[in-house]
Amino acid sequence: MAMPALDAEKLKENALTSIRLGIEDFQRGRLSPEQNGDPARALSAIRNLFAGVLLLFKYKIATSVDDPEDAATLIFNPPEVLPQADGNGGVEWQPVGKFKRTTIDVATIKKRFEGFDIEMDWTTIEKLQECRNHLEHLHPANTLGEVADFVAELFPILRDFVQTQMNEQPAELLGAAWPIMLEHHKFFMDTRAECVDAWNQAGVPDLMQPWLEKCQCEACSSSLLRPHAEDIEEGISVESYDETFRYVCVACGQSDLIGPLMIKNLEDAHDYDPRDGGEPGVETCNECQRDTFVIGEQQCLWCRAELDYAECDVCGEALRQEDQFNGGLCGYHNYVHEKMMRDD
């Protein structure tokens, strides 16, 4: 079965070129127009960096076997396998066609890694892939902060893979791109730690912390947000003053309300489509009037309000906020109870 030739060293060379170009694009994208910067290079940076990492992964797969032909079967997409009659009333599965000239995608790379016991943090890789796909649909000006997050997240993946799976040193393999990534990662991690410390002083409701961590700047999509200094100095808290408490983006300087961002993250996580029979997972809390009452948890994540009656005393059905005035009964059994009272 004919298949395209594979040059493993060319994979490695192309990977390093893509990573180098990605870092160059990243730097150009962060500069102002006066400094010959170009925001449109941000998307190019993501494409090149992610492609470079995937090429390194393919290089590792290709060099995990001794025979170049075996390596090619692992990297190029195989022909489709279809059922055929075996002539004796049974079925046999046969490959149809030839190996394609296209190479394997992320999902297949993951399967190859698992088959060859190559360790990888696939949760982060899939997160970076989602980030790349998301950025494809944004205006370049709205991607700069998220690209910076991407590069910082990519750093430990690339460092650990080069050291443990390729048995090389990142500084030697990646050349000039490495100190740039190293410096950016250190800045990002230090700044993120500072932001976390600052929010700890801002009075964010404890149960809303996970949704604060998912907040991104509305202008540049950076996750490096910190509480506005003026609001901290005034001594107000997010919990009590969510209609005025602001965030500031470290990456671009954008400032806006943090409360609505947190609530939007919560609502997005409980998104539903009524056309598919879905039902809302979040509703307005009767106590604090914020859209943070999680129906499944029977609790408000902002003010911690809980239901006085969690389930029907008769049938055990889970109760909601609108059932709280029924004295521990669901709508149906409350109706039955009232009807019996009227009949008496």
Side-chain angles (χ1 to χ4, degrees):
M1 187 179 303
M3 77 180 63
L6 176 70
D7 184 344
E9 290 304 316
K10 191 66 176 178
L11 282 177
K12 182 179 180 182
E13 180 184 331
N14 289 343
L16 299 179
T17 298
S18 291
I19 292 171
R20 176 178 58 81
L21 291 175
I23 292 299
E24 290 177 3
D25 289 333
F26 173 60
Q27 288 185 293
R28 281 285 303 279
R30 299 174 72 195
L31 296 175
S32 65
E34 294 76 17
Q35 297 174 299
N36 199 30
D38 181 5
R41 298 285 285 271
L43 181 54
S44 179
I46 288 286
R47 289 171 176 162
N48 279 321
L49 286 169
F50 196 71
V53 170
L54 294 187
L55 285 170
L56 277 186
F57 290 175
K58 293 174 186 178
Y59 170 77
K60 172 62 180 179
I61 294 169
T63 55
S64 296
V65 294
D66 296 330
D67 190 329
E69 288 193 8
D70 287 340
T73 64
L74 294 173
I75 299 303
F76 290 105
N77 284 309
E80 188 175 9
V81 179
L82 297 174
Q84 297 180 4
D86 65 0
N88 297 311
V91 174
E92 60 183 13
W93 292 81
Q94 295 285 347
V96 178
K98 302 177 180 180
F99 273 83
K100 301 176 178 64
R101 301 197 66 84
T102 55
T103 58
I104 56 179
D105 59 11
V106 175
T108 309
I109 291 173
K110 181 179 180 181
K111 293 177 182 177
R112 298 284 190 270
F113 271 33
E114 291 171 349
F116 283 83
D117 294 324
I118 302 171
E119 295 184 359
M120 176 50 56
D121 178 5
W122 286 108
T123 300
T124 300
I125 291 296
E126 288 162 2
K127 176 183 174 183
L128 294 176
Q129 183 183 26
E130 183 180 341
C131 171
R132 184 204 62 180
N133 295 341
H134 169 65
L135 292 173
E136 293 279 356
H137 304 289
L138 294 181
H139 187 279
N142 296 335
T143 66
L144 296 177
E146 196 163 354
V147 170
D149 289 12
F150 181 98
V151 174
E153 295 273 8
L154 183 63
F155 174 88
I157 291 287
L158 197 53
R159 176 197 61 204
D160 294 346
F161 184 78
V162 169
Q163 289 177 336
T164 62
Q165 300 298 337
M166 299 180 65
N167 296 317
E168 297 194 47
Q169 293 303 314
E172 297 175 5
L173 183 67
L174 300 174
W178 183 247
I180 297 171
M181 295 184 72
L182 182 64
E183 180 181 2
H184 174 70
H185 179 74
K186 184 179 186 306
F187 164 79
F188 181 89
M189 298 306 292
D190 288 349
T191 304
R192 184 156 67 179
E194 292 172 1
C195 291
V196 170
D197 288 342
W199 284 114
N200 287 339
Q201 310 302 317
V204 177
D206 290 342
L207 298 180
M208 290 297 293
Q209 282 287 346
W211 310 108
L212 170 66
E213 294 168 7
K214 292 182 180 294
C215 287
Q216 293 179 303
C217 173
E218 295 166 287
C220 76
S221 298
S222 173
S223 64
L224 297 179
L225 309 181
R226 61 181 303 136
H228 200 293
E230 292 179 2
D231 295 336
I232 291 292
E233 290 171 3
E234 286 187 23
I236 63 176
S237 68
V238 175
E239 184 172 10
S240 301
Y241 293 88
D242 52 302
E243 295 182 353
T244 59
F245 202 107
R246 297 161 293 171
Y247 73 83
V248 175
C249 175
V250 176
C252 73
Q254 166 77 4
S255 178
D256 210 331
L257 300 179
I258 190 64
L261 272 187
M262 296 162 60
I263 293 174
K264 182 179 184 302
N265 287 332
L266 173 63
E267 291 175 335
D268 287 348
H270 291 83
D271 190 28
Y272 72 101
D273 189 341
R275 295 172 299 181
D276 297 331
E279 296 185 357
V282 178
E283 62 186 7
T284 302
C285 174
N286 288 344
E287 295 293 329
C288 69
Q289 301 304 308
R290 295 179 177 89
D291 297 329
T292 51
F293 192 93
V294 180
I295 297 171
E297 299 178 19
Q298 296 184 324
Q299 184 178 30
C300 175
L301 302 190
W302 197 282
C303 71
R304 289 180 173 271
E306 297 181 335
L307 302 181
D308 292 329
Y309 303 100
E311 60 182 35
C312 176
D313 292 339
V314 178
C315 66
E317 177 182 332
L319 300 182
R320 296 179 56 167
Q321 290 189 99
E322 61 263 31
D323 300 316
Q324 296 306 294
F325 304 103
N326 299 339
L329 299 176
C330 65
Y332 171 73
H333 283 107
N334 182 61
Y335 166 77
V336 171
H337 173 72
E338 290 183 343
K339 186 174 183 301
M340 291 176 57
M341 296 295 291
R342 289 196 301 269
D343 292 343
D344 289 345

